[in-house]
Amino acid sequence: MSPTAARSLLAALALLAAAAPAAAQAPRTAARFELVGRAPVTHTRTTDLAVFRGGDGRDYAYHGSFGVCPGCTMGRMYAWDVTDPAHPKLTDSISVDAAIINDVAVNAAGTLAVLTREGARSRRNGIVILDLKDPAHPRPIGEYWETLLGGAHNLWLDGDRAYVVDQGTSEMAIIDLSLPSDPREIGRWGIPERPNRFLQDVAVKDGLAYLSYWDDGLLVVDVGNGIMQGTPRRPKLVGQYRYRVQWRGAVYGNTAYAFPYTNAAGKKYVFVGDQIMPRDANLGERFATGGYVHVLDMSDPSVPREVAAYAVPNSGVHSFWIANDTMYVAAWTGGIRAVDVSGNLVGQLAGREIASITTSDAQSAVRDFPFAWSAVPHNGLVFASDFNSGLWIVRLVPGTTAAQP
């Protein structure tokens, strides 16, 4: 391990081990998750989730799938009407040439959806654009694959652009969707090519792209913010935060997910998650997971600074979403968790966890093995996808406010 990596590892471990007076003094609102509705999916595995209000005034949840289902010749994206959250109703599914549809995103207007494709038999991977004039029955209106033959793993929609993880090159491809029937790549950015270069995910806010670059950590790139005169056509590097964590005697980078968020107190943070699982993990059997959430102070985006961390006991973190100063964590084997992220965040945030619920039941494909994949707040509820069991809909029920011990 290089001296720089060793220092990063020691700093990260010290952060987790340290007592955190500022965090311990923060108020905590006791709460619990109440199950509202379930839509079991066991014939295939469930991946990332998008929840939105359609143009018809109804609520919908779309999710992808991992592995072609028995009897299916192609991958599918599933559309659920969740207007009555206690009784989700499957309204349609979209069949595309893909073994994995890992990610689905819907634009802010609820008029357009984009899904990613991996493992296409034709090698035409990339993205598929869906028209949502009838959100219960989305219809493909365009696709882009020409520079994404190796597969599109994740994506983020910002205005009329899709920021796509090119799995073949481990670069960010920027696709113009202003004409959805004829999308075009207009920009691209990646770190210098080297062995084991791997881009896992991307998020965009206020003209800055946050790239989760596995062992290279978090990369902040100007795609229109102006801080480095970057544009979608000519992205420019702003800053980087690289770290190492230890799990079961091994050292990992595994930066896999980032979510930029400014809380009600005006604190600018990026929450960064690791994804760690055994190298020999079998997705059909139970196994342990590792990793945690790093909280980076982004007062100066050119120099991200880790100030806090959140770890799920005996579990890892797959992804999360933040709204109204609450972080909803899909914690793999740890189910769904809710964490207070208000105010000034310092040190360990375990004491700020306010609720949790498992995402495993008798209808799961793998019994007693929750594997929470996504957690998305919408319309006062939390919608979650579990890799082994499908769709979950829960409500966070507040309790009483009490001081931290």
Side-chain angles (χ1 to χ4, degrees):
M1 185 189 307
S2 70
T4 300
R7 286 194 296 271
S8 297
L9 171 61
L10 292 173
L13 295 178
L15 175 63
L16 285 178
Q25 293 170 8
R28 178 183 64 199
T29 302
R32 63 183 175 85
F33 278 124
E34 173 184 83
L35 181 62
V36 176
R38 275 279 282 124
V41 178
T42 57
H43 63 286
T44 186
R45 296 296 185 265
T46 305
T47 56
D48 279 329
L49 179 71
V51 188
F52 67 101
R53 175 66 54 85
D56 57 1
R58 302 184 69 81
D59 291 322
Y60 294 91
Y62 293 173
H63 66 78
S65 58
F66 187 103
V68 176
C69 63
C72 301
T73 58
M74 305 179 82
R76 289 185 178 274
M77 186 208 81
Y78 296 85
W80 300 84
D81 185 326
V82 292
T83 308
D84 178 0
H87 302 94
K89 178 183 177 183
L90 183 65
T91 60
D92 209 340
S93 64
I94 301 300
S95 178
V96 298
D97 180 12
I100 301 171
I101 301 173
N102 187 68
D103 205 356
V104 182
V106 176
N107 68 358
T111 58
L112 203 72
V114 182
L115 60 85
T116 59
R117 296 193 299 183
E118 300 173 61
R121 296 180 181 181
S122 65
R123 290 275 295 165
R124 293 186 176 186
N125 286 294
I127 60 174
V128 176
I129 300 97
L130 307 175
D131 179 85
L132 304 187
K133 288 179 182 177
D134 181 358
H137 305 283
R139 288 292 175 259
I141 56 170
E143 64 177 353
Y144 181 82
W145 54 268
E146 287 81 354
T147 62
L148 300 170
L149 293 175
H153 188 61
N154 282 307
L155 71 100
W156 188 278
L157 293 184
D158 185 62
D160 58 4
R161 301 182 188 96
Y163 294 79
V164 182
V165 172
D166 182 344
Q167 194 171 42
T169 65
S170 280
E171 295 176 334
M172 171 182 66
I174 304 172
I175 312 300
D176 183 357
L177 303 178
S178 56
L179 183 59
S181 61
D182 188 23
R184 302 290 178 91
E185 180 176 313
I186 60 170
R188 179 172 282 261
W189 192 90
I191 61 174
E193 189 171 355
R194 63 167 186 77
N196 302 318
R197 178 179 71 164
F198 180 67
L199 177 60
Q200 168 71 15
D201 210 341
V202 59
V204 179
K205 184 178 181 181
D206 297 332
L208 293 176
Y210 300 89
L211 279 64
S212 297
Y213 244 117
W214 213 243
D215 288 346
D216 290 288
L218 178 74
L219 278 293
V220 184
V221 178
D222 183 355
V223 291
N225 176 276
I227 189 173
M228 295 295 290
Q229 292 77 53
T231 69
R233 295 181 181 276
R234 296 180 61 86
K236 300 289 185 181
L237 177 65
V238 175
Q240 180 177 12
Y241 181 76
R242 189 168 181 258
Y243 59 86
R244 292 292 183 269
V245 296
Q246 189 174 44
W247 184 67
R248 295 194 167 187
V251 177
Y252 297 85
N254 292 39
T255 303
Y257 188 82
F259 194 97
Y261 181 74
T262 301
N263 66 18
K267 299 290 184 178
K268 294 183 177 181
Y269 297 112
V270 172
F271 295 75
V272 178
D274 314 314
Q275 291 180 6
I276 303 174
M277 65 173 66
R279 292 183 173 89
D280 59 350
N282 181 340
L283 293 177
E285 300 175 353
R286 286 179 289 176
F287 55 86
T289 55
Y292 59 94
V293 179
H294 310 253
V295 184
L296 307 186
D297 184 316
M298 299 300 289
S299 301
D300 181 353
S302 67
V303 188
R305 183 171 59 92
E306 186 164 354
V307 294
Y310 167 74
V312 181
N314 303 313
S315 182
V317 170
H318 183 265
S319 64
F320 39 87
W321 198 273
I322 306 173
N324 299 321
D325 285 2
T326 302
M327 177 170 63
Y328 300 97
V329 182
W332 268 341
T333 53
I336 304 302
R337 332 286 285 205
V339 183
D340 171 21
V341 293
S342 62
N344 188 38
L345 303 181
V346 180
Q348 299 179 67
L349 303 184
R352 285 174 169 252
E353 183 177 295
I354 56 178
S356 65
I357 188 171
T358 188
T359 51
S360 179
D361 58 18
Q363 300 180 83
S364 298
V366 183
R367 294 291 299 272
D368 302 318
F369 186 26
F371 210 59
W373 202 263
S374 296
V376 182
H378 174 74
N379 198 29
L381 300 170
V382 181
F383 294 77
S385 60
D386 184 283
F387 190 76
N388 291 325
S389 60
L391 183 64
W392 294 71
I393 305 171
V394 299
R395 177 184 292 110
L396 188 62
V397 180
T400 57
T401 300
Q404 292 277 34

